[in-house]
Amino acid sequence: MSVNNTRVAVDIGGTFTDLVAVHDGSLSLEKASTTPANYADGVVDALSMSDLSLPDIEQFVHGTTVVINAITERDGEPCALIMTDGFRDVLDITRANRPDMFNFRYEKPEPFVPRRDRFEVRERVDQAGSVLSTLKPDDVREAVDEIRDRGIETIAVAYLNAYANPEHERRTREIIAEEFPDAYVTLSHELTEEYREYERTNTAVLNSYVQPIADNYLTVLESHLDEHGVDGNRYVMKSNAGTSSFDQARQSPIEMIESGPVGGVFGAARVGERVGEPDVISFDMGGTTAKTSLVEDGEVDINTEYWLESSAREEGYPVQIPVVDIVEIGAGGGSIAWIDKGDSINVGPRSAGADPGPACYGRGGSEPTVTDANLVTGRLNPEYFLGGEMKLEVDQAESALESVADTFGTSVREAAHGILRVVNSNMAHALKQVSLRRGYDPRQFALVASGGAGGLHAATLGRELGVKETIVPRAPGQFSAWGMLLTDLRRDYVRTFVRPFEASAAGTVDDAFATMADRAREAFAAEGVLADEITIERSVDLRYDGQEHTVQTPIQAERARLTADAIEETIERFHRLHKQAYNFRLEDPVEMVNLRLTATADVPKPTIDVLDRGGQPSDARRDVRLVDFGAEGSHETRIYDRSSLPTESSFDGPAIAEEPACTTLIHPNQTCRIDEYGNLRISQQ
């Protein structure tokens, strides 16, 4: 990998904080324990472990779990909500199409703002943006006075149809600044100009809920970076697979909700593109969670229909911002195995985390985890975890697994296999959610696996799904951080614009896109990016007249202006995409719902260079040990040092390739090929 300057990416995970640095063609990798008490300390620890000259860092990219943790742990700041008179209960009503429809004991999710802290003011704008009733400033002042008296310092403002006309929300901010200048304020239209009141309101609330925490965290991190002489450009990874400045992240921290995982998805897309496999399924298994996403033709799927904590039985919470389409489950190396009331094994979502960690870490953990199961079956080398920096305790792992074994009257080894089968089943289900259940045949895709635990499970999952091959890229344990170095500065704009999509509308639609592009250029200009450095991409959300749901349809990038011919081409593209998604097409009129514009600005990136390592695989063999493959039996398994494996060579399983931050398992009847870039490419014999 080579690049012209020093770029550093740091990704905070639930268990470890990963660092990847590229300087003068050399790659530096570090892994430090995550520090939940103060996440910034873990970032500094990772920087201190590296051999970099910190003042020479020109670009620092950061992915963090601060926002998602504050929401899932309900550890944000109390906030108030100012809304249109008559709509105080939007957060309680939610949506009618709830999951688990026939459960009479079903309870809707608890809103993040209790009803007592929601304040109605008189104002009204219709769906076209026309003012029906002007804002009553005295109502706002009265609400702000009460909010201040209650000691609440964060305020979300979400008025009905503000996406069509934000005049009242802007005036409300002015009044708040007069009455309560120290308050954190979120205006719904600044986060999203898309319709759907519940989704837009909840997004504004969640942004307010985490804003003080994100602001404080970024301030502390900046002070730490200043103290260590890191004064280069600083960026935060966003959920849309782009980056933004720290200042912009302070204003809209909700855009960091999937800050870390998207780096892995973007990295998987670039690896697939490089090796001639543009259709890939990204799989990232860390210490706490497993994440998966589908990449088609090299394009990462991004949409604004993201639901946090949603499941088959839970409605979850909508976040209406551009987010990479990721399915995430509580299945990581630290995920805890437990027995339910029906005497069945479950794994996750609770995790041992970084402190105390799995039982085998020897730090006080006593509950059985996935890592303990992998250690007991011989898949992990207790002397080479994190490159030998941490010794794993086999006795502690066996003791933790005894509770599971005793429940079923079986051996510890068999209990370990039960845990591994359950966690693999959970992850296979997630992989099928992004492929089979959306009309994609996984046999046409390659599986790109990463994360500290990804290599241990990838070959098993790839075989179950029947993918073309399983690819374990270089530095899989720090892959999300590496993916962050490949991203650009990016801003996404969505605007609801409901009308017939036909040739006669070309001029109107083009003018609307031009306004959105001007906003993007102004935003980038504030960060020192010139207009000619920005790339614009456009798409529209289309549906057949009378339908509710839409299909996002791109507009050809080479067309500077939207013409009647471009409209016809886009409609035909919509027909094809609709048939792929729903297996039918109609000849009905097509209606436009949303305009989408993506603006990106290029930043220096590392490149994936060809390696030249000669020799034979036998030269990299470091040991042979007995590994239990469950139903495939126990086998004397060759252990290879991955960093010494020659490129353009191959070997058969059973085998294990070890590297400091990841262990890759190759089953019997599988073959592993090392390609010219150093990727491990596993396939069935």
Side-chain angles (χ1 to χ4, degrees):
M1 300 179 185
S2 62
V3 74
N4 298 324
N5 62 359
T6 303
R7 295 194 73 206
V8 175
V10 178
D11 175 34
I12 297 178
T15 306
F16 293 104
T17 296
D18 302 328
L19 178 145
V20 174
V22 182
H23 175 66
D24 292 337
S26 63
L27 183 69
S28 298
L29 306 171
E30 298 295 345
K31 212 171 187 64
S33 292
T34 294
T35 51
N38 184 351
Y39 289 109
D41 289 341
V43 176
V44 173
D45 290 344
L47 286 168
S48 300
M49 292 169 63
S50 72
D51 57 359
L52 298 170
S53 172
L54 301 188
D56 292 338
I57 295 175
E58 297 182 46
Q59 289 182 314
F60 176 87
V61 185
H62 183 44
T64 175
T65 58
V66 168
V67 170
I68 188 70
N69 286 350
I71 294 174
T72 57
E73 296 171 10
R74 303 299 188 269
D75 196 29
E77 293 293 326
C79 65
L81 174 61
I82 298 178
M83 53 207 316
T84 304
D85 184 34
F87 289 83
R88 189 179 184 183
D89 296 317
V90 163
L91 296 180
D92 299 302
I93 297 171
T94 68
R95 290 288 172 200
N97 53 339
R98 71 187 195 194
D100 209 8
M101 185 65 73
F102 299 105
N103 180 359
F104 294 113
R105 297 182 180 179
Y106 178 81
E107 294 183 7
K108 291 190 175 185
E110 186 72 23
F112 279 79
V113 178
R115 195 173 191 275
R116 65 178 179 274
D117 293 332
R118 303 174 212 158
F119 300 85
E120 296 176 308
V121 300
R122 287 171 290 173
E123 69 85 39
R124 194 62 179 267
V125 173
D126 69 12
Q127 81 286 351
S130 300
V131 176
L132 302 178
S133 177
T134 58
L135 176 70
K136 300 301 185 287
D138 289 344
D139 288 4
V140 178
R141 291 190 176 92
E142 182 179 339
V144 173
D145 288 344
E146 188 168 348
I147 291 168
R148 184 182 56 239
D149 292 344
R150 292 184 185 183
I152 299 174
E153 298 181 349
T154 63
I155 304 173
V157 182
Y159 291 150
L160 186 69
N161 297 322
Y163 66 88
N165 182 350
E167 174 188 342
H168 289 172
E169 287 195 348
R170 290 170 180 163
R171 176 57 183 143
T172 299
R173 167 177 275 165
E174 294 173 357
I175 297 172
I176 295 173
E178 296 168 2
E179 303 292 324
F180 193 5
D182 294 332
Y184 289 91
V185 181
T186 297
L187 304 184
S188 70
H189 80 273
E190 292 182 342
L191 296 174
T192 172
E193 291 183 311
E194 193 172 351
Y195 75 158
R196 299 187 188 280
E197 295 308 312
Y198 169 51
E199 286 83 347
R200 191 164 52 83
T201 301
N202 194 70
T203 303
V205 165
L206 289 180
N207 192 75
S208 288
Y209 185 71
V210 300
Q211 193 170 14
I213 291 175
D215 183 23
N216 179 68
Y217 169 72
L218 292 174
T219 299
V220 171
L221 178 58
E222 280 196 309
S223 67
H224 283 13
L225 295 176
D226 290 340
E227 290 172 7
H228 288 78
V230 181
D231 58 359
N233 294 326
R234 300 166 184 177
Y235 299 110
V236 171
M237 189 73 193
K238 300 199 299 182
S239 303
N240 65 351
T243 53
S244 69
S245 66
F246 274 33
D247 286 341
Q248 201 266 329
R250 285 187 173 93
Q251 298 303 313
S252 53
I254 194 63
E255 293 183 334
M256 297 189 291
I257 196 166
E258 290 288 2
S259 179
V262 297
V265 178
F266 199 80
R270 299 290 77 81
V271 166
E273 189 176 66
R274 190 64 167 168
V275 302
E277 295 287 353
D279 297 333
V280 303
I281 300 173
S282 168
F283 168 67
D284 176 0
M285 183 181 180
T288 306
T289 60
K291 289 81 65 176
T292 181
S293 183
L294 186 138
V295 177
E296 184 179 21
D297 198 24
E299 294 296 324
V300 175
D301 187 15
I302 299 172
N303 61 55
T304 55
E305 295 181 1
Y306 177 77
W307 286 75
L308 180 68
E309 300 180 4
S310 176
S311 70
R313 295 186 179 275
E314 299 295 335
E315 184 175 344
Y317 300 89
V319 182
Q320 199 177 53
I321 57 169
V323 179
V324 171
D325 187 10
I326 294 176
V327 171
E328 183 171 359
I329 62 172
S335 293
I336 294 171
W338 52 282
I339 310 299
D340 63 20
K341 294 180 180 179
D343 284 341
S344 296
I345 297 177
N346 293 262
V347 179
R350 197 161 60 90
S351 171
D355 185 16
C360 61
Y361 283 13
R363 296 176 176 173
S366 59
E367 296 180 281
T369 68
V370 174
T371 297
D372 296 317
N374 276 313
L375 179 62
V376 166
T377 55
R379 304 179 186 198
L380 280 174
N381 182 349
E383 305 294 332
Y384 192 68
F385 194 71
L386 295 182
E389 294 182 10
M390 178 186 293
K391 182 179 179 180
L392 300 182
E393 304 291 339
V394 179
D395 291 344
Q396 297 281 1
E398 290 178 341
S399 296
L401 291 168
E402 283 178 357
S403 61
V404 178
D406 291 345
T407 299
F408 297 100
T410 187
S411 69
V412 166
R413 182 74 61 83
E414 290 173 325
H417 280 300
I419 292 170
L420 295 177
R421 283 194 295 271
V422 169
V423 75
N424 284 334
S425 175
N426 292 345
M427 293 187 292
H429 176 73
L431 290 164
K432 291 173 183 176
Q433 275 188 269
V434 300
S435 57
L436 283 169
R437 294 191 177 184
R438 299 181 184 177
Y440 294 97
D441 184 349
R443 293 175 298 182
Q444 305 302 317
F445 289 76
L447 180 68
V448 178
S450 61
L456 282 167
H457 298 261
T460 307
L461 297 170
R463 180 178 60 185
E464 180 168 340
L465 263 71
V467 295
K468 294 168 66 175
E469 63 179 349
T470 298
I471 302 173
V472 182
R474 294 165 58 192
Q478 295 92 352
F479 192 70
S480 286
W482 180 76
M484 293 176 189
L485 295 181
L486 301 176
T487 58
D488 294 315
L489 293 173
R490 174 173 177 143
R491 288 179 178 269
D492 286 275
Y493 299 88
V494 183
R495 177 183 172 188
T496 293
F497 203 63
V498 181
R499 62 200 60 214
F501 192 67
E502 53 195 12
S504 61
T508 303
V509 176
D510 195 63
D511 290 343
F513 271 126
T515 300
M516 297 169 72
D518 288 341
R519 288 179 56 201
R521 295 186 183 100
E522 290 175 5
F524 274 125
E527 297 183 13
V529 179
L530 302 178
D532 59 2
E533 298 174 329
I534 301 171
T535 300
I536 301 292
E537 294 181 357
R538 300 168 297 172
S539 64
V540 285
D541 289 351
L542 301 178
R543 66 187 179 191
Y544 292 116
D545 189 23
Q547 286 187 330
E548 177 184 359
H549 298 290
T550 62
V551 175
Q552 185 176 338
T553 309
I555 296 172
Q556 286 186 339
E558 60 268 19
R559 293 188 179 275
R561 291 191 59 82
L562 192 65
T563 63
D565 288 344
I567 293 279
E568 295 298 335
E569 292 172 3
T570 305
I571 290 174
E572 182 55 36
R573 191 174 299 114
F574 161 72
H575 287 313
R576 294 198 301 269
L577 292 173
H578 191 280
K579 183 174 178 57
Q580 177 181 323
Y582 300 108
N583 204 33
F584 72 92
R585 61 179 288 171
L586 302 174
E587 298 306 321
D588 293 12
V590 175
E591 185 177 45
M592 174 176 57
V593 176
N594 296 315
L595 305 179
R596 297 181 182 271
L597 183 140
T598 298
T600 56
D602 189 40
V603 295
K605 303 179 185 65
T607 57
I608 306 175
D609 295 331
V610 172
L611 297 179
D612 184 15
R613 285 202 300 255
Q616 300 296 321
S618 57
D619 301 333
R621 188 185 303 176
R622 65 161 51 136
D623 198 3
V624 175
R625 72 169 177 265
L626 187 67
V627 177
D628 190 342
F629 288 86
E632 298 167 281
S634 296
H635 297 268
E636 290 293 334
T637 302
R638 296 180 299 278
I639 313 300
Y640 294 98
D641 175 8
R642 179 173 179 177
S643 64
S644 301
L645 284 168
T647 53
E648 302 290 3
S649 67
S650 63
F651 56 87
D652 294 333
I656 285 176
E658 291 183 342
E659 55 189 304
C662 184
T663 297
T664 300
L665 182 74
I666 298 98
H667 286 266
N669 300 318
Q670 289 184 328
T671 296
C672 179
R673 176 171 66 90
I674 302 92
D675 68 16
E676 58 185 329
Y677 302 105
N679 301 308
L680 303 181
R681 304 177 70 166
I682 304 168
S683 58
Q684 295 300 122
Q685 292 178 4

